[in-house]
Amino acid sequence: MSFFSDTAKVFVRESRPIFYDPFTPVFSLAQPLVFLALLGPLVAATPGIPGESPWQWFVPGIVVMVSLFGTSMTGSNLQYEMTTGSHERIMVAPLNRAAIMTGKALKEIAPLVVQGAIIVLVMLPFGFRLYPLGALLGLAILAVLGIGLGALSYALALASQGKEWLFWGVQQTLLFPLLILSGMMLPLEQGPAWMRAVSTVNPLTYIVEAERTLFAGEYAWDVVGPGVVAAVATAAVGLTVGILTMRRQTV
Amino acid sequence: MIHTRGLARDFRAKKEVVKAVKGIDIDVSPGELVAFLGPNGAGKSTTLRMLTTSLRPTRGTATVAGHDVLAAPVEVRRAIGYIGQGNGVSHNHRIVDELVDHGRFYGMTGRDARRRAAELLELLGLAGMAKRSIGTLSGGQRRRADIALGLMHRPALLFLDEPSTGLDPQNRANLAEEIVRLRAELGMTIFLTTHYLEEADQLAERVLIIDDGEVIAAGSPAELKATLAGDRITLGMADEVAAKSAAALLEGSARETTVSGATVILTVENGESALPRTLRALDAADLPADTAKLRIPTLDDVFLSLTGRTLRDADAA
C-alpha cells in the first residue's frame, strides 16, 4: 500500500529538523503547561465541574486543545515550503497525495504524545488519576482527528497561496469558536441554550466528551463511539477536501 | 520524449481570462538538450509546469516520457526529474537528508539512496557539506544541492526551470558547465527554460523561442542566427558618394544593404569569409574602406528580428 509507506516517508522527512535541534520542541512542550498553570486554577475554582476532580475534567480538554493548535498549523509550514520552492518538487514526486497530507499532519501530532506525558506527570501530584489504556485510546482518536484537521489546514494554505494573511484570518476565526463551543475549556452545561444547541453540531464536542470519558478510565461506548465517528468523519472530509484542492491546481 | 499538441493554459485574473500559453506544439527527441528561451512572462514556466504535472493544462495534450500528463501523471512523475525555480531543498533540512528522503520518495531503498546521495554530493562539489543545513549555504551551493536532488533517482528526462536565476555570472558559467558535463556523463534528455541568451547559446542544441505564449521560432542557435539575423558588416567609407557606390557594387553579394552617411551596412551569411572578400572587391573597384567591422549576431538579434523588441526590453516591459 503506497498510502502507508508514503505516509511514513513524508513523516520521516518532516520530522528530521526536530532531531537537528532538540531545543525547538521545548517551546511547544511548554505551551500546554502555561495553559494548565493559568487556566487550571480558575477551572478548579468553578463550581459545577462534573467528575471526581476538576483536573480529571480539565486535563483531557487541554490535551484536545494542544492537538487542535498543533495540527491546524500544518498549513503554515506548507506556506513556508511554497515560498521557498520545496513544496513544488514534492508535488512532482510520485507520492500518494493523501499520504503527503497525512505525513505532514502526523508530524504535528507526534509531539502530542510527549506533551500528553508531561501534562500527566505534572498533574499527578494534584490528584489527577491516569488510566493508561484510556489515555492511549484517547490519543489515537486525536491522531485521527489531527489527520483531518491537518489536511484541512493544508488545503487552506493551498487555497490562500500568495495571500498568507488569509490563511491566518480563516484559521484563527474558525479555531476559537470551535474550541469554546465544544466545552473544551469551560463547561457548557450552564451556558445559554443557543450555545448548547450549536455545540451539538460541533464534531469537537463529541471528541471532547469521548476524551473525558476515556481519561476517566471509563469505556462507555455510547460516549466514545460518537467521538470516534466524529474523528473519522473529520479525517475523511479533510483528506477529500485536501485532495480536491490539490487536483484543482495540479494534475 | 516530449510531444505536445495545442497545449494551452489560461489564468483567470479578476474577471479577465489571461492566455498564458496559447496552444503550443513541442517535440523533443531522446537525448536532446533543448532550451526554452523567452522574456519573463512569456509562458516558459507555465509550460514547464504543465509538462511536469504540477499545473493542469486548459486545452491540448502533452505526452512526457511516453505517458499522457493527464491520464497517467504518476508515471510521468516517476520518469522525470524536476528542478524548479525555487529551492527544492528545504532550508531547515540538512543536504544529505533531503537527498536521501527524496530518493525514498522515488522508491529507492535507504541504502541505495544513501550511496547515490554521497555520489552526487561528490559530483557536485558538496561532499564536505553533507551535514550542513541548507539555510547556511550560499546561493550557488543551494542551487547545486537542488540539482543533486533532481538527479537522485537517475531520471531519463530532466526539467530545469531557470536554473541560473539569482546566481552571479561566475556561478552561472560554472552551472552551465556542470549541466553539459552531467549530461555527457549521464546521457539524459534535458529541457530547460532560460531568459539568459548566453545560457541558451552556450548550452542548447536546439532553442525554442517563446513570446507571449507562442513558440515563434525553433532551431539550433547557429541556424536561428543565420536564417533570422545574419552576420553584419559595417564599412566606413571616405564619404557619402563613395558609400553609395560601394553599396551599389556590393548589393548582389549581400542579403541586405543599407547606407547611412558614409557608412554601409551589409547583412551577409558567413561573415567571416564575406569580410575579406568584400574588402578585396572594394579595393579592386578603387573604393577602399577606411574601417571595417564584423558583428556575429546573438540570439538577442534573432529575438529582435522576430518581435521588434530585444529580450531586455521585453523583460523590462
Side-chain angles (χ1 to χ4, degrees):
Chain A
M1 274 296 278
S2 72
F3 172 75
F4 293 106
S5 63
D6 285 356
T7 299
K9 290 172 192 173
V10 172
F11 175 75
V12 166
R13 171 181 180 255
E14 292 295 322
S15 307
R16 293 225 192 246
I18 299 174
F19 298 100
Y20 302 149
D21 190 357
F23 285 102
T24 42
V26 167
F27 292 102
S28 74
L29 295 180
Q31 187 203 27
L33 296 180
V34 171
F35 282 113
L36 270 179
L38 297 181
L39 282 168
L42 297 177
V43 172
T46 309
I49 300 280
E52 42 186 304
S53 111
W55 298 114
Q56 214 66 35
W57 183 89
F58 189 60
V59 166
I62 287 287
V63 173
V64 178
M65 190 186 71
V66 170
S67 75
L68 209 60
F69 281 166
T71 52
S72 69
M73 290 278 286
T74 306
S76 123
N77 295 334
L78 179 68
Q79 286 184 316
Y80 181 66
E81 295 220 316
M82 285 195 289
T83 321
T84 60
S86 57
H87 171 247
E88 197 176 19
R89 78 90 178 163
I90 286 169
M91 295 309 279
V92 172
L95 288 168
N96 180 299
R97 299 302 212 209
I100 297 177
M101 289 182 284
T102 308
K104 279 180 185 280
L106 285 177
K107 176 235 164 183
E108 308 296 336
I109 296 166
L112 193 64
V113 179
V114 184
Q115 286 169 326
I118 290 179
I119 295 172
V120 167
L121 279 179
V122 168
M123 294 317 294
L124 282 177
F126 295 92
F128 174 78
R129 284 193 62 189
L130 175 67
Y131 300 91
L133 178 65
L136 280 179
L137 284 174
L139 288 180
I141 292 175
L142 288 181
V144 175
L145 170 76
I147 290 169
L149 292 175
L152 286 172
S153 172
Y154 189 99
L156 178 59
L158 279 182
S160 60
Q161 192 167 4
K163 289 170 283 195
E164 275 67 29
W165 51 268
L166 188 63
F167 174 83
W168 293 109
V170 175
Q171 191 248 14
Q172 298 288 312
T173 309
L174 290 178
L175 193 63
F176 284 97
L178 278 173
L179 194 147
I180 293 163
L181 290 170
S182 69
M184 197 183 295
M185 314 283 284
L186 293 163
L188 288 175
E189 280 78 5
Q190 287 96 21
W194 69 266
M195 280 185 118
R196 276 177 281 141
V198 175
S199 78
T200 58
V201 293
N202 181 359
L204 276 179
T205 308
Y206 300 98
I207 288 164
V208 171
E209 288 303 315
E211 295 294 325
R212 291 208 171 112
T213 306
L214 288 168
F215 271 84
E218 292 160 25
Y219 306 99
W221 299 112
D222 57 324
V223 182
V224 176
V228 173
V229 171
V232 171
T234 308
V237 169
L239 289 174
T240 309
V241 169
I243 288 172
L244 289 178
T245 311
M246 279 191 205
R247 289 245 172 92
R248 240 186 48 199
Q249 295 177 347
T250 71
V251 175
Chain B
M1 212 61 171
I2 304 173
H3 302 283
T4 74
R5 289 296 172 265
L7 190 66
R9 172 72 197 200
D10 302 340
F11 286 106
R12 215 167 282 276
K14 303 270 159 74
K15 276 176 189 163
E16 263 173 81
V17 174
V18 181
K19 291 181 185 294
V21 175
K22 298 174 180 170
I24 59 175
D25 302 339
I26 300 174
D27 289 286
V28 176
S29 314
E32 269 195 296
L33 201 173
V34 176
F36 217 19
L37 175 70
N40 288 328
K44 299 186 299 287
S45 292
T46 305
T47 305
L48 207 67
R49 292 183 56 212
M50 287 194 280
L51 294 178
T52 55
T53 76
S54 75
L55 188 68
R56 183 176 279 275
T58 311
R59 287 176 298 281
T61 60
T63 312
V64 174
H67 302 282
D68 186 276
V69 292
L70 279 175
V74 179
E75 282 74 14
V76 172
R77 288 182 197 129
R78 239 188 279 280
I80 63 169
Y82 172 67
I83 298 163
Q85 263 182 47
N87 284 127
V89 284
S90 153
H91 292 195
N92 296 329
H93 284 71
R94 290 181 183 161
I95 308 181
V96 67
D97 289 341
E98 277 291 72
L99 293 180
V100 170
D101 287 338
H102 192 67
R104 307 266 294 124
F105 290 172
Y106 285 82
M108 295 168 80
T109 63
R111 177 194 293 205
D112 191 18
R114 277 190 297 275
R115 195 183 310 132
R116 176 72 174 158
E119 207 176 281
L120 285 171
L121 288 173
E122 187 71 42
L123 189 71
L124 289 160
L126 294 168
M129 296 165 198
K131 294 207 169 151
R132 290 267 297 276
S133 92
I134 285 133
T136 68
L137 301 180
S138 75
Q141 291 166 336
R142 237 176 257 177
R143 211 61 189 128
R144 292 213 297 276
D146 288 336
I147 291 179
L149 204 63
L151 295 173
M152 266 307 283
H153 60 291
R154 305 179 179 88
L157 171 60
L158 184 67
F159 289 93
L160 295 121
D161 196 3
E162 303 277 356
S164 58
T165 298
L167 296 184
D168 57 51
Q170 178 67 39
N171 270 315
R172 212 148 73 200
N174 290 346
L175 185 73
E177 271 173 39
E178 205 77 53
I179 291 171
V180 170
R181 188 169 62 87
L182 288 171
R183 175 164 169 267
E185 280 173 29
L186 309 170
M188 291 175 292
T189 308
I190 297 182
F191 191 88
L192 62 91
T193 71
T194 181
H195 66 273
Y196 291 116
L197 298 153
E198 313 81 47
E199 198 165 80
D201 213 343
Q202 184 188 354
L203 278 173
E205 289 151 358
R206 203 148 64 83
V207 176
L208 305 176
I209 299 183
I210 182 171
D211 187 39
D212 200 17
E214 287 173 291
V215 174
I216 53 174
S220 74
E223 262 166 36
L224 288 171
K225 286 184 233 169
T227 55
L228 292 166
D231 298 358
R232 200 153 54 170
I233 296 173
T234 309
L235 301 165
M237 305 303 291
D239 53 37
E240 204 174 330
V241 181
K244 281 187 176 149
S245 313
L249 176 75
L250 298 168
E251 213 159 21
S253 59
R255 200 195 299 166
E256 211 182 296
T257 314
T258 49
V259 179
S260 114
T263 310
V264 182
I265 299 169
L266 307 169
T267 306
V268 297
E269 273 152 48
N270 199 356
E272 288 176 4
S273 71
L275 180 61
R277 213 176 329 118
T278 304
L279 293 177
R280 282 197 296 274
L282 288 173
D283 284 342
D286 203 19
L287 285 166
D290 294 335
T291 61
K293 191 168 73 181
L294 172 64
R295 189 162 174 279
I296 306 290
T298 64
L299 287 173
D300 206 16
D301 298 308
V302 173
F303 191 78
L304 178 68
S305 83
L306 285 167
T307 66
R309 311 166 356 258
T310 66
L311 261 175
R312 197 167 308 151
D313 290 345
D315 263 351

